[in-house]
Amino acid sequence: MSVRTQLRLVFGVATFFLLIAMSSSLAQTSQKNRILRAIDSGEAVALMGHLHPLARPEFDRGAVAPAFPMANLALHFRMTDAQQAALDKLLRDQQDPASGVYHKWLTPEQFADRFGLSTDDINRIVVWMQSQGFHVEDVARSRNSVTFSGTAAQLQQAFRTEIHHFNVNGELHYASASEPAIPSALAGIVLRIRGLDDFRPRPKGLHFSRGHNLLAVSRYTIGSPASHFISPDDFATIYNVKALYAAGSDGTGQKIAVMGQTNIQTSDIDRFRSLSGLSVNTPQVILTGTDPGSNTTDLPEADLDLEWSGAVAKNAQIIYVNSTNVFTSLQFTVQNNLAPVISISYGLCEAQISNLNLLALNLLAQQANVQGQTILASSGDSGAADCDFQVASATQGPAVDVPASIPSVTGVGGTEFSADVANPNTYWSSTNNGSNGSVLAYIPETSWNDPPSGPSPQIAASGGGASTQFTKPIWQTGTGVPTDGARDVPDISFSASARHDGYLVCTSGSCVNGYLDGLGQLMVVGGTSVATPAFAGILALINQLTVSTGQGNINPTLYQLAASNPSAFHDIATGSNIVPCTSGSTGCPGSGSFGFSAGTGYDLVTGLGSADAFALASIWPALGGGGTPDFSISSAPASVTVASGSTTTTTLTLTAANGFTGTVNFTCTLPAPFIASDCTVSPASVNTSGTTTLNIGTASAFLVAPRTRWFIFPHNPSPVIAVLCLTMLFGVAAAAKFLRPGGVHGRRAAVVVCMLLLVIAGFGAAGCSHFIPPNSSGGGSGTNVPSGTAANAVVTATSGSLIHSTVVSVTVN
């Protein structure tokens, strides 16, 4: 080899490595890769904190069958310390009017680029999971979780944990019998494995009263002495929501997402609205994961949540997110940024949820807040004894409810009307109006606490107390706030008693003759599970009045307004959530009861009290100048069916706000077994406001095989990286010619081979090669999507830095 040839070869190799360094620097614009070595199942570390508190040895009934199906599983990923610190700062800044990012919310994709895993790390995890036999169903848009399914045997092989049956209080459940383990390469990256048990959160409230023999009675101020029940018109009068309606705020253009874990009959919601003088506004139903079927315990909860959120925000779009576990519904709602207001009337006491699951819920709530989403949750219906459920006497000591106790969540407690007992004619008309309302004015309130009575006595009082898991947030200050160093709940309250002026609902076809069923009985409900969706409706009206795309965590605002404008709140200073307890049981003092008393200002029974909706909205901080120019998108219908091998359409509506004048570009994605070409928007751009058509077809769909491929080409390359990658390819070809017959021999050939191998390896680091994860588009068998397939199409609308999305449910029939 001549000196010139040797110099040319050295120069070429040096150029390759320089290009690798340059392209690698350009490729790493978001996160650094955190997986630094191969994912090897043979090298594992325990991931402590997964054992469910109720999966105890005395309840163990042995291992499930190896083929036992495990659905709705997910790996959730931990942020680095630096990412968590940056997120905490961003959350503070987004609520600071002096900050440049005040109320500037992130999209899930923007969250991913700042707080999720890198794309390379996600791809490596997906490839490893598929190699273990799992079916990877979804990668979160925020890149902080991967959803998958498999069998008990696959779980045991991959994560070294056995799934057992457990008989708890006569109910058969499954759960992990030992702590799982993860490959050591994922240590510090995987936070938890979701779905290792089927214990579900409980609905709060559901204190039904059906014993009112009122056949053929058309009024709901009833009898002598009168019995009173709250209709939507009554609630609007009591809490001054009607003034918001008069100001033009009725929920139009707003979205509320309601969390559920059972199928519903939308005919019940339609019937309730008709009886209440409300126009038809059927909820959009989105199913995520396995169909849970219809559950008689959960169905009344789902119905009342949907009916009462929509009763207050009467023209808002109500989205019912359904799954086998309400926390899975919450995960989907946040990771897809479905609505700025989220209502969840389910929970567990802090002692009944593992530390890992609690941490994961806290991180999820923070993600919701940074995206502008507000989570409202019931504070519980067992007074200060949240771990005790539907019992007459507490045995498990003081406790508060999750997720209400999470600082990034607003806990909603319960009150009870008091003054109308002695002076009913002052507050109630003897007849009902055309909307079945009869309340005349605001009714003074006390704390909700109905002593156990009747044939099935049980504790029924406003949940409240101090968290044992979360410290006091900096914003939780003011008159009456305890100096206990703990996060205190609730934050705000509304009427919740079922016995004293309960709420009317329609469920399971109950409303046959007006609100009455076929036996002449009313379905009446109370609990913080009604107060929560009702307040969600109020918040949606506030969003509309203030021209806001979301509020994030409203707790700082609530406590600030209570201090500066106390007249907007009804201070509840009487009553308590003190409940009886069994002598000798956990936390039971000699008095035989425990709990808290209401007082001036904040208290651990009703929080800041209830609110005058119009007064609260009138003082709510609004963005300067009426708000930043923005837009919203909606779909009608929001759920579609399409025949296999055919197409269907739905209409997307773009609505400008605050003087928005930009052009909005639309894209649509569908998960496997659909492919992107089956979901298109025409026209793909709309200027300022107007409509466009979403086309969904199954004629050219591909069932994508769960396989992985490797490409020597950049994934979503920039032009610069693409040029660099092609340059390296030409360089490799030029260097390889030295290996042809008559070229370099002996040790020099070996050196060239080593250099070529190093260069090829550098392609991955440079971003010039990537893995195509399982179930992505671009391969598989060409066949129509089979009948019965259901998926959620995500439509994304972009204009500059503004990004919004909406979900359309698609079912193949």
Side-chain angles (χ1 to χ4, degrees):
M1 180 186 296
S2 67
V3 173
R4 178 179 297 179
T5 303
Q6 294 183 54
L7 288 174
R8 187 179 300 161
L9 178 60
V10 171
F11 177 77
V13 172
T15 301
F16 297 159
F17 283 105
L18 177 60
L19 290 172
I20 288 171
M22 291 174 60
S23 58
S24 179
S25 176
L26 290 169
Q28 299 299 320
T29 57
S30 300
Q31 309 100 325
K32 293 182 179 179
N33 293 335
R34 295 167 60 189
I35 302 176
L36 304 179
R37 53 199 174 93
I39 304 175
D40 184 356
S41 302
E43 301 177 4
V45 293
L47 192 61
M48 306 301 290
H50 281 82
L51 299 184
H52 194 279
L54 295 179
R56 300 201 294 265
E58 61 267 32
F59 302 144
D60 196 330
R61 297 298 179 267
V64 302
F68 186 80
M70 300 291 295
N72 299 325
L73 298 163
L75 287 184
H76 290 255
F77 306 122
R78 187 187 300 271
M79 287 185 287
T80 65
D81 291 342
Q83 285 177 320
Q84 183 64 66
L87 177 59
D88 292 341
K89 182 180 186 304
L90 179 58
L91 287 166
R92 292 192 299 269
D93 291 345
Q94 285 179 324
Q95 297 296 337
D96 180 2
S99 168
V101 296
Y102 177 62
H103 279 206
K104 292 184 177 179
W105 315 117
L106 301 186
T107 65
E109 288 76 16
Q110 290 169 333
F111 185 93
D113 289 340
R114 298 178 65 172
F115 307 112
L117 289 185
S118 70
T119 302
D120 285 346
D121 282 347
I122 287 287
N123 287 345
R124 288 187 177 189
I125 290 171
V126 167
V127 169
W128 172 77
M129 295 179 68
Q130 197 255 334
S131 73
Q132 301 299 302
F134 293 119
H135 179 255
V136 178
E137 297 170 348
D138 182 60
V139 173
R141 293 165 60 188
S142 46
R143 291 205 302 273
N144 53 8
S145 71
V146 173
T147 303
F148 64 102
S149 59
T151 65
Q154 290 167 339
L155 274 176
Q156 184 172 357
Q157 175 184 330
F159 298 112
R160 304 187 182 188
T161 183
E162 279 194 0
I163 304 300
H164 284 208
H165 284 301
F166 292 85
N167 191 319
V168 182
N169 297 324
E171 294 183 355
L172 193 64
H173 293 271
Y174 67 80
S176 55
S178 59
E179 296 285 11
I182 57 172
S184 56
L186 300 180
I189 296 175
V190 174
L191 171 66
R192 69 158 180 167
I193 307 169
R194 188 192 75 199
L196 296 183
D197 63 73
D198 68 343
F199 290 96
R200 306 198 303 173
R202 292 192 301 263
K204 298 301 175 180
L206 302 183
H207 302 290
F208 294 103
S209 174
R210 300 190 64 160
H212 301 278
N213 295 313
L214 305 167
L215 189 61
V217 175
S218 60
R219 294 181 291 107
Y220 299 100
T221 288
I222 299 169
S224 180
S227 295
H228 301 122
F229 308 96
I230 302 175
S231 70
D233 188 81
D234 294 328
F235 185 93
T237 298
I238 295 167
Y239 293 112
N240 203 20
V241 180
K242 287 185 175 180
L244 276 172
Y245 298 155
S249 184
D250 60 5
T252 299
Q254 301 301 308
K255 294 180 181 180
I256 302 173
V258 172
M259 304 300 97
Q261 54 187 28
T262 180
N263 292 346
I264 62 168
Q265 299 173 353
T266 57
S267 58
D268 285 320
I269 289 87
D270 293 340
R271 177 66 172 158
F272 174 82
R273 293 185 66 86
S274 176
L275 293 171
S276 304
L278 302 170
S279 60
V280 175
N281 188 10
T282 305
Q284 176 188 3
V285 178
I286 295 178
L287 174 66
T288 176
T290 305
D291 189 330
S294 183
N295 187 301
T296 56
T297 300
D298 293 292
L299 182 57
E301 179 64 69
D303 287 337
L304 73 90
D305 290 350
L306 294 166
E307 289 166 4
W308 277 94
S309 57
V312 178
K314 52 188 179 181
N315 285 335
Q317 180 182 359
I318 309 299
I319 304 171
Y320 180 62
V321 186
N322 188 23
S323 71
T324 57
N325 187 302
V326 75
F327 288 160
T328 302
S329 300
L330 181 62
Q331 188 86 29
F332 182 87
T333 301
V334 173
Q335 291 185 336
N336 289 281
N337 200 11
L338 289 184
V341 180
I342 300 172
S343 177
I344 178 169
S345 293
Y346 288 75
L348 294 167
C349 73
E350 289 183 331
Q352 292 176 349
I353 187 169
S354 70
N355 289 337
L356 275 185
N357 286 338
L358 189 62
L359 176 58
L361 280 174
N362 181 49
L363 293 176
L364 183 65
Q366 288 185 322
Q367 179 182 344
N369 288 171
V370 86
Q371 294 174 173
Q373 295 176 290
T374 304
I375 302 176
L376 309 174
S378 306
S379 70
D381 301 332
S382 299
D386 193 72
C387 290
D388 291 281
F389 181 67
Q390 294 183 345
V391 296
S393 181
T395 61
Q396 301 184 60
V400 295
D401 201 77
V402 175
S405 67
I406 296 173
S408 297
V409 173
T410 299
V412 184
T415 69
E416 185 169 335
F417 301 127
S418 56
D420 63 334
V421 174
N423 305 289
N425 294 334
T426 302
Y427 302 103
W428 297 88
S429 170
S430 60
T431 59
N432 296 316
N433 60 27
S435 298
N436 281 319
S438 54
V439 169
L440 301 174
Y442 168 72
I443 305 173
E445 299 162 275
T446 187
S447 303
W448 170 44
N449 193 339
D450 293 329
S453 63
S456 300
Q458 65 183 54
I459 296 169
S462 177
S467 170
T468 61
Q469 301 298 314
F470 298 103
T471 58
K472 178 90 63 196
I474 191 172
W475 42 259
Q476 193 164 33
T477 61
T479 302
V481 175
T483 56
D484 53 7
R487 156 69 165 143
D488 295 315
V489 287
D491 298 301
I492 196 168
S493 295
F494 292 89
S495 174
S497 174
R499 298 180 190 172
H500 189 208
D501 312 329
Y503 292 79
L504 296 166
V505 297
C506 296
T507 185
S508 302
S510 63
C511 294
V512 176
N513 182 11
Y515 289 110
L516 303 171
D517 66 12
L519 299 176
Q521 298 176 326
L522 289 173
M523 180 66 80
V524 181
V525 66
T528 57
S529 59
V530 196
T532 299
F535 183 50
I538 291 175
L539 185 59
L541 301 181
I542 291 175
N543 282 343
Q544 182 182 1
L545 190 71
T546 58
V547 198
S548 172
T549 57
Q551 303 288 343
N553 188 355
I554 65 170
N555 292 338
T557 299
L558 287 176
Y559 285 84
Q560 175 191 354
L561 294 180
S564 61
N565 297 272
S567 61
F569 296 82
H570 306 125
D571 188 14
I572 313 301
T574 61
S576 74
N577 65 357
I578 297 173
V579 297
C581 58
T582 301
S583 178
S585 64
T586 301
C588 187
S591 62
S593 62
F594 61 80
F596 306 96
S597 296
T600 302
Y602 180 89
D603 55 67
L604 295 170
V605 188
T606 63
L608 298 169
S610 65
D612 179 306
F614 180 74
L616 186 63
S618 298
I619 61 174
W620 199 272
L623 296 175
T628 302
D630 205 342
F631 65 88
S632 62
I633 59 171
S634 60
S635 58
S639 300
V640 298
T641 57
V642 56
S644 181
S646 184
T647 60
T648 190
T649 63
T650 186
T651 300
L652 302 174
T653 300
L654 170 67
T655 304
N658 307 325
F660 173 78
T661 58
T663 297
V664 177
N665 300 307
F666 292 89
T667 58
C668 178
T669 57
L670 266 169
F674 296 92
I675 61 174
S677 61
D678 294 305
C679 188
T680 59
V681 182
S682 180
S685 298
V686 175
N687 188 35
T688 304
S689 62
T691 61
T692 185
T693 300
L694 174 65
N695 304 287
I696 298 172
T698 61
S700 62
F702 282 80
L703 292 176
V704 180
R707 56 195 176 92
T708 303
R709 293 168 294 160
W710 184 72
F711 276 72
I712 304 179
F713 196 76
H715 181 55
N716 296 327
S718 69
V720 174
I721 293 178
V723 170
L724 292 175
C725 294
L726 290 173
T727 301
M728 281 192 282
L729 281 173
F730 285 122
V732 169
K737 75 177 185 178
F738 289 103
L739 297 181
R740 72 185 191 280
V744 181
H745 299 284
R747 286 182 297 174
R748 292 179 181 175
V751 170
V752 172
V753 170
C754 290
M755 288 181 175
L756 287 174
L757 292 175
L758 288 172
V759 170
I760 292 171
F763 271 81
C768 294
S769 63
H770 69 284
F771 287 102
I772 301 295
N775 302 319
S776 61
S777 61
S781 56
T783 180
N784 294 332
V785 177
S787 176
T789 302
N792 297 308
V794 178
V795 180
T796 302
T798 306
S799 179
S801 61
L802 300 175
I803 304 176
H804 297 295
S805 61
T806 189
V807 172
V808 177
S809 301
V810 182
T811 302
V812 180
N813 61 14

